[in-house]
Amino acid sequence: MRNRLRRTAAGLFAAVLLAASVTSATTASAVPSSGFDNWSCKPSAAHPDPLVLLHGLGGNGPGNYSYLGPFLAAKGYCAFTLTYGQADPNIPVGGTVSIARSSVEIEAFVQRVRTTTGAAKVDILGHSEGGFQSIYGPKVRGYAGQVGKVVALAPPTHGTTFGGLVSVGDYLGLGPLVDQVLQRFGCAACDELIVGGSAVKALTTGPIAQPGTKYTVIASRFDALVTPHETSFIREPGVTNEYVQDSCPLDPVGHVGLAFDPTVAQLVANALDPAHASRVVCAFGPPL
């Protein structure tokens, strides 16, 4: 009888251990290692640095990255976005306030992503003004040590001769809201991003690229907003500058279309993970 009870107790103990291990495995497997704006996401060993995605002027995070966000999540990344620089928190239009003010919000978001995911560093992907912020913040705000890679799509790095950067919002169907914001609050960022603008001077005084951070700048020869096109490029050691048309000469993608072009998506993925770069299959991005 005693032996039977002992065997029964041992069996129950083994069952408890098995159930605990199954529960633990189930719980562990339930934690996603990729996702777009999924705050339970924990970066994998293959992609240890989560992505911070910065939108263009007059746009917002979810809209600007409605294509690239899910694309990068499918590649195995934890990707997060925000809408920064809102003149009115009730209107989903961002990036119109001063570059300096927006950069404070972005830095706080970077810290939130790092803290939540447990990552030491983030990678930053920025489009248009977001591309400028991806370069400006690590240098001017001083957190380059927390950034592994920067991929900037058509940033007005050295200033643009054309001020119509709010077309990002127009493409996202936010045109009337953008107009409302501009009429009520103006556009401090617009003035700061033109040639000779105050934010441009702050970025371009001294070296732009920061030690320990790898930079890739991607532009289009058909960009009608950030002009001249080479104003995007950072001609410094350790920076890769490329036109979409270097890989795909017939791709007519414009400034806004860079965030919605399958060709650009592949270039971005290769820049983020050059050790596993794949051949670029040419597509046709929106010529806007």
Side-chain angles (χ1 to χ4, degrees), residues 159-165 167 190 193-195 224-228:
T160 175
T161 57
F162 187 78
L165 302 179
S167 289
C190 295
L193 292 174
I194 62 173
V195 175
L225 297 180
V226 172
T227 54

Side-chain angles (χ1 to χ4, degrees), residues 100-154:
R101 177 177 159 191
S102 288
S103 71
V104 174
E105 293 181 49
I106 292 168
E107 182 181 7
F109 188 78
V110 167
Q111 303 312 322
R112 179 188 174 195
V113 170
R114 290 180 58 245
T115 300
T116 303
T117 62
K121 293 186 176 184
V122 302
D123 292 339
I124 304 178
L125 169 62
H127 176 217
S128 189
E129 182 193 348
F132 185 92
Q133 289 280 10
S134 72
I135 302 164
Y136 176 96
K139 174 184 174 176
V140 177
R141 299 288 307 166
Y143 58 89
Q146 299 165 10
V147 179
K149 299 183 185 73
V150 166
V151 182
L153 307 180

Side-chain angles (χ1 to χ4, degrees), residues 39 44 94 97 102 106 113 142-143 184 191 203 219 225 230 253:
W39 289 93
S44 66
V97 306
S102 288
I106 292 168
V113 170
Y143 58 89
R184 290 178 56 192
D191 294 332
L203 176 61
L225 297 180
E230 287 206 1
V253 66

Side-chain angles (χ1 to χ4, degrees), residues 49-276:
D49 294 344
L51 302 179
V52 171
L53 311 180
L54 302 179
H55 62 81
L57 197 157
N60 57 50
N64 208 146
Y65 287 99
S66 58
Y67 173 67
L68 279 173
F71 173 87
L72 292 167
K75 290 285 186 182
Y77 291 93
C78 294
F80 304 91
T81 191
L82 78 161
T83 300
Y84 65 84
Q86 290 176 262
D88 184 333
N90 298 311
I91 301 177
V93 169
T96 60
V97 306
S98 74
I99 296 296
R101 177 177 159 191
S102 288
S103 71
V104 174
E105 293 181 49
I106 292 168
E107 182 181 7
F109 188 78
V110 167
Q111 303 312 322
R112 179 188 174 195
V113 170
R114 290 180 58 245
T115 300
T116 303
T117 62
K121 293 186 176 184
V122 302
D123 292 339
I124 304 178
L125 169 62
H127 176 217
S128 189
E129 182 193 348
F132 185 92
Q133 289 280 10
S134 72
I135 302 164
Y136 176 96
K139 174 184 174 176
V140 177
R141 299 288 307 166
Y143 58 89
Q146 299 165 10
V147 179
K149 299 183 185 73
V150 166
V151 182
L153 307 180
T157 307
H158 298 278
T160 175
T161 57
F162 187 78
L165 302 179
V166 293
S167 289
V168 172
D170 294 337
Y171 184 79
L172 298 176
L174 300 173
L177 292 178
V178 171
D179 291 341
Q180 180 181 340
V181 169
L182 297 183
Q183 289 170 6
R184 290 178 56 192
F185 303 101
C187 181
C190 295
D191 294 332
E192 295 172 351
L193 292 174
I194 62 173
V195 175
S198 58
V200 171
K201 289 180 179 178
L203 176 61
T204 58
T205 299
I208 297 172
Q210 299 299 292
T213 301
K214 296 181 179 180
Y215 297 81
T216 301
V217 180
I218 301 171
S220 173
R221 295 185 185 276
F222 299 110
D223 192 327
L225 297 180
V226 172
T227 54
H229 304 136
E230 287 206 1
T231 193
S232 291
F233 293 155
I234 305 170
R235 304 295 189 183
E236 295 177 13
V239 180
T240 299
N241 299 292
E242 59 184 319
Y243 286 111
V244 176
Q245 290 75 25
D246 293 341
S247 298
C248 298
L250 300 181
D251 190 339
V253 66
H255 181 80
V256 178
L258 287 165
F260 305 92
D261 183 359
T263 300
V264 175
Q266 293 173 78
L267 294 174
V268 169
N270 288 347
L272 290 171
D273 190 5
H276 300 93

Side-chain angles (χ1 to χ4, degrees), residues 3-17:
N3 288 338
R4 185 181 303 170
L5 288 173
R6 188 175 297 145
R7 287 196 300 271
T8 301
L12 288 172
F13 182 69
V16 169
L17 286 179

